[in-house]
Amino acid sequence: MRVLIVEDDSVLRDGLKVGLGIVGFNADAVESCEEANAVLRNHEFDALVLDLMLPDGSGLDVLKALRERRDTTPVLLLTARDQVPDRIAGLDAGADDYLGKPFDLEEVAARLRALVRRASGRPQALLEWRGLRIDPASQNVELDGEPVRLSRREYAILQALMVHPGQILSRSQIEEKLYGWQEEVESNAVEVHIHNLRNKLGTEMIRTVRGFGYRLGEES
Amino acid sequence: MPSISKRLFLILVLTTSLVWLSAVLWIFLSTRAEVERVLDARLMEAGRMVSSLISRQERDAVPDRSTTVEIPLREHSAYERQLSCQIWSLQGALISRSDAAPAEKLSEQEDGISETVVDGERWRVYAITNTDIGIRVLVGDNLSMRDHLVNDVIRGLLLPALFIVPVLAVLIWFSVRRGLEPLRKIAGDLEARHATDLSPIEDVDTAKEIVPVLQSLNGLFARVAGLRERERNFTAFAAHELRTPLAGLKTQAQVALASEDPAIRDQALRQIVVGVDRTGRLVRQLLDMSAVEALDHESEKRGVVRPSFVLRSLAAELADRARQVSVEVAPEMDAVELHIEPELFTLAARNLMENAVNHSPPGGVVRCRVAGQFEAGQVIIEDDGPGIPEEELPRVTERFFRGRNKAPVGSGLGLAIVELALGRSGWRLQLQNRDAGGLRAVIAQAA
């Protein structure tokens, strides 16, 4: 899952980025409203972690601009001001959840997973499809009850495909989920990961739709 | 509690009554004088008339008659028989008198007007002597009649007043209440207002006498609201600045605990060190700030400082060897002394130099020099950093304000402390972007 962190404190920003990376997120981080707006206009994220007090303005302005663009990306507000009126102001501005500083890294991750799950319209935490079951919280993957070991990137591709079974994801969409916007995209990397996934899960599991991209295989 | 309406009411009722009473007194006096003048004239006329009518024969014809010659008067007035007439021979015998006249001699005076008391009644008597026929005519006016006349006039004035004055009092009472209505309205507005409501009082239709009161009230409201807003901002910023580093420390600690990768763990621990340094600096600055604020007013303006001494020791402490940022203190500064509390100057200089070093590029130089002479002396600290965007210059001394070109270790308190410390000792801070790039901070004598 790809998330954008908007936080001006470098220690916290770095901690969130690395920490969320450890628990399976692909996190990018920026430190100002200006950068956040620019990145959000050009990239898609599964969720946004937004600090309220930024050097060049309020996170609420970023949030409002986002919602005005009809962007429904779930937003988790992080702030030192967690009095009830502040929470109400944040939620009314279009935030989906609110967390007061200092917080628990695990809780940030759990809330982000819940936000993404809700945004995709799924009530249950586990993703299941034809004997394949993945748990986004622990990143455990099971095929017909047997655990399967996947690399971080393989897992990310599989989860992206399983969020909306049947939906086709293009190669560039998959690359967006795999790499941060600062990262260099390796050519053929997606093909290599898909190949590895097919080896581990069976060739029928992921289908190539020529000219479009990939999707989970249909019942034939 | 004194009440304006009661006061006004009393003043108005008292002055109205006083004016009324003065008018009555004046009318009383002038009526009495006029009545006296007119009646005296009539008295004299009557005396002369009687005197001229009596001939010698008549005097002789009725000698020693104890009965009087009746001078009939028609009886249909309250003022009947106010005139009495006596005719005396010059030898002292009563020749004749009118029927209402007392038998006793009205006056011993030979000629002219006099006042006497006869039989317990006060008379005003005109005496005229007719030497030709040897008689003296006395015509007297009963004074109680005259008083009666004047009293009737005054009663005619006072009786209606008894009814009018209460009516007037009621009218005054209502006018006063009505006149003070704008005041009562504002008082009502203020009373009905919630304690936290600091919105201005609307002045629709306010009397112009109350407008100044309203304006000062609204001015006060605005000031209190501004103060409260600043306080709220300060609390919010302080919460942010204190809790964000804590959140960073906790997150990094959790990263270190969760990661199997030694490189990630090391990095997280290094970040924790950075975070603790930064939080330590923030705590120091918060303490500095409250120390400056707590400083008593007496010590603020005293003391002389040798800036070269302070700046050199700060330079030794703050120069960033890792990034090769050095601090130069100009030699001519040794000759300069400033009249400023040493502690406050050190605090200001430390924060300015810290900022300059932190914003300098690697290898940069922070220069400290002086400008101007002894009394108008200025201490200047310059760096080669990015400067401050012009639109942010007015705000950089606000507490917790952090601009776009912020240093990674900044808290937004440094310049606020500098301004506070200098302001306390009669100095001020000027910030300018240098033409060559970088910031120039000037410690100057306050205007």
Side-chain angles (χ1 to χ4, degrees):
Chain A
M1 273 182 286
R2 191 164 179 216
V3 296
L4 178 67
I5 298 158
V6 187
E7 165 63 59
D8 62 325
D9 183 90
S10 64
V11 174
L12 180 55
R13 187 173 63 241
D14 177 81
L16 278 174
K17 189 174 159 158
V18 175
L20 289 178
I22 291 174
V23 293
F25 290 87
N26 173 18
D28 286 316
V30 294
E31 55 180 299
S32 68
C33 291
E34 203 181 320
E35 285 178 275
N37 284 327
V39 171
L40 283 169
R41 257 194 288 273
N42 299 312
H43 298 269
E44 246 182 66
F45 294 89
D46 295 305
L48 183 61
V49 179
L50 184 61
D51 183 25
L52 270 190
M53 283 194 184
L54 294 165
D56 58 343
S58 167
L60 285 185
D61 297 333
V62 175
L63 181 55
K64 281 175 192 152
L66 187 75
R67 295 301 184 231
E68 269 163 27
R69 291 196 299 269
R70 309 232 170 271
D71 191 328
T72 56
T73 307
V75 173
L76 171 62
L77 286 182
L78 293 183
T79 182
R81 284 195 289 188
D82 56 353
Q83 300 298 305
V84 173
D86 300 317
R87 288 173 192 245
I88 291 171
L91 294 174
D92 278 347
D96 298 273
D97 205 350
Y98 210 101
L99 209 50
K101 291 176 185 175
F103 42 73
D104 212 281
L105 188 56
E106 288 294 320
E107 190 177 1
V108 177
R111 282 182 188 244
L112 283 174
R113 280 193 294 268
L115 287 181
V116 173
R117 189 171 73 231
R118 243 178 283 149
S120 66
R122 242 170 350 101
Q124 72 278 28
L126 299 183
L127 296 167
E128 282 183 275
W129 188 79
R130 281 173 64 185
L132 192 59
R133 169 199 287 244
I134 68 176
D135 179 357
S138 61
Q139 297 182 52
N140 286 333
V141 180
E142 286 180 12
L143 180 60
D144 300 326
E146 293 293 315
V148 182
R149 283 192 63 87
L150 298 181
S151 76
R152 200 161 72 85
R153 299 239 148 112
E154 288 159 10
Y155 173 83
I157 294 177
L158 183 61
Q159 186 186 330
L161 288 169
M162 283 186 70
V163 169
H164 295 293
Q167 190 184 321
I168 301 169
L169 287 181
S170 71
R171 197 180 117 174
S172 62
Q173 279 174 314
I174 293 174
E175 279 171 353
E176 280 263 299
K177 307 239 177 238
L178 286 189
Y179 298 101
W181 51 278
Q182 301 110 320
E183 283 177 273
E184 193 74 32
V185 179
E186 311 150 53
S187 63
N188 278 338
V190 173
E191 280 85 349
V192 172
H193 292 313
I194 296 275
H195 178 77
N196 290 343
L197 275 173
R198 282 178 176 150
N199 280 346
K200 290 177 184 173
L201 303 171
T203 47
E204 292 303 298
M205 202 58 89
I206 300 170
R207 297 216 163 179
T208 306
V209 184
R210 248 171 240 298
F212 290 99
Y214 304 92
R215 70 167 181 212
L216 291 180
E218 284 177 340
E219 306 266 2
S220 46
Chain B
M1 199 164 47
S3 146
I4 293 184
S5 46
K6 252 185 218 155
R7 241 167 83 109
L8 262 181
F9 174 72
L10 278 179
I11 289 171
L12 284 172
V13 166
L14 282 178
T15 47
T16 312
S17 311
L18 208 64
V19 167
W20 195 289
L21 283 175
S22 313
V24 167
L25 189 66
W26 183 76
I27 291 170
F28 168 73
L29 292 174
S30 70
T31 308
R32 207 173 61 173
E34 196 63 17
V35 162
E36 198 154 280
R37 202 173 61 77
V38 171
L39 291 185
D40 279 358
R42 207 181 63 168
L43 203 61
M44 286 151 83
E45 200 184 317
R48 276 194 293 272
M49 209 185 284
V50 170
S51 162
S52 66
L53 283 175
I54 294 173
S55 63
R56 193 180 301 266
Q57 290 83 355
E58 278 168 315
R59 187 204 66 185
D60 296 332
V62 281
D64 303 316
R65 263 193 27 203
S66 58
T67 50
T68 55
V69 173
E70 304 272 327
I71 300 168
L73 284 163
R74 301 183 61 132
E75 304 182 15
H76 51 67
S77 135
Y79 302 107
E80 66 188 68
R81 293 183 184 176
Q82 64 165 310
L83 273 182
S84 293
C85 186
Q86 292 177 331
I87 301 166
W88 295 80
S89 66
L90 287 180
Q91 288 72 35
L94 179 65
I95 298 170
S96 177
R97 62 180 173 113
S98 61
D99 67 339
E104 213 174 308
K105 196 169 187 179
L106 277 172
S107 173
E108 295 302 331
Q109 197 171 324
E110 297 189 351
D111 259 315
I113 299 254
S114 61
E115 275 185 31
T116 59
V117 177
V118 176
D119 289 350
E121 295 215 60
R122 287 165 56 241
W123 293 87
R124 192 165 177 84
V125 183
Y126 178 68
I128 180 169
T129 307
N130 191 334
T131 42
D132 291 348
I133 48 175
I135 57 164
R136 181 171 288 131
V137 176
L138 298 177
V139 186
D141 229 348
N142 193 331
L143 272 182
S144 64
M145 286 300 182
R146 287 193 180 189
D147 290 347
H148 191 61
L149 183 63
V150 174
N151 288 348
D152 273 358
V153 171
I154 296 305
R155 197 174 297 125
L157 279 173
L158 284 180
L159 264 183
L162 280 182
F163 297 99
I164 289 172
V165 166
V167 171
L168 210 58
V170 170
L171 283 178
I172 287 172
W173 177 247
F174 277 109
S175 314
V176 165
R177 278 178 66 89
R178 186 129 182 76
L180 291 177
E181 192 56 33
L183 260 188
R184 279 154 37 89
K185 196 179 149 291
I186 287 172
D189 276 3
L190 284 176
E191 207 163 308
R193 167 180 279 256
H194 197 260
T196 55
D197 180 6
L198 292 173
S199 60
I201 304 173
E202 290 174 51
D203 61 341
V204 278
D205 269 7
T206 309
K208 73 169 187 286
E209 290 85 349
I210 299 174
V211 168
V213 176
L214 215 57
Q215 278 168 347
S216 1
L217 262 183
N218 285 341
L220 179 67
F221 283 152
R223 280 200 299 283
V224 172
L227 210 63
R228 191 178 284 185
E229 175 67 24
R230 271 210 294 289
E231 216 167 78
R232 223 190 337 250
N233 279 347
F234 178 80
T235 318
F237 279 115
H240 180 261
E241 289 302 323
L242 285 167
R243 294 169 85 173
T244 299
L246 290 180
L249 288 174
K250 182 167 178 182
T251 306
Q252 292 287 2
Q254 286 179 326
V255 167
L257 286 173
S259 178
E260 315 261 303
D261 184 343
I264 290 181
R265 223 163 23 210
D266 282 358
Q267 169 65 12
L269 290 174
R270 268 195 295 274
Q271 290 280 2
I272 288 175
V273 173
V274 171
V276 170
D277 281 350
R278 197 182 299 175
T279 315
R281 182 167 182 260
L282 174 66
V283 169
R284 197 198 75 217
Q285 286 185 318
L286 281 172
L287 292 176
D288 282 350
M289 185 158 261
S290 57
V292 174
E293 279 177 336
L295 211 66
D296 71 286
H297 285 260
E298 285 309 302
S299 66
E300 284 159 19
K301 298 202 169 147
R302 269 188 266 138
V304 173
V305 89
R306 207 170 262 283
S308 60
F309 190 74
V310 174
L311 290 170
R312 287 223 172 83
S313 66
L314 285 174
E317 186 188 337
L318 297 173
D320 189 340
R321 273 163 209 95
R323 290 167 55 241
Q324 296 190 321
V325 177
S326 57
V327 181
E328 287 175 2
V329 180
E332 71 264 24
M333 197 177 270
D334 289 321
V336 176
E337 278 184 345
L338 299 179
H339 286 273
I340 182 170
E341 219 289 315
E343 215 176 300
L344 292 173
F345 177 79
T346 308
L347 199 54
R350 165 183 281 275
N351 280 284
L352 285 177
M353 198 182 284
E354 232 170 14
N355 277 356
V357 168
N358 287 334
H359 286 94
S360 285
V365 179
V366 173
R367 289 176 203 83
C368 305
R369 57 188 177 86
V370 283
Q373 287 304 309
F374 194 76
E375 276 301 319
Q378 298 181 334
V379 174
I380 297 170
I381 299 177
E382 290 175 333
D383 65 53
D384 304 324
I388 298 173
E390 288 294 330
E391 72 273 14
E392 286 178 4
L393 271 177
R395 294 194 58 205
V396 286
T397 53
E398 285 175 22
R399 291 175 193 196
F400 294 122
F401 178 84
R402 297 179 71 191
R404 267 180 287 159
N405 296 339
K406 64 193 166 61
V409 294
S411 64
L413 278 179
L415 290 177
I417 292 175
V418 173
E419 197 182 57
L420 193 64
L422 292 180
R424 280 263 158 156
S425 44
W427 290 70
R428 70 197 160 102
L429 171 69
Q430 293 172 324
L431 294 172
Q432 302 150 1
N433 285 309
R434 296 167 60 209
D435 295 336
L439 188 74
R440 173 182 297 134
V442 182
I443 298 176
Q445 196 78 253

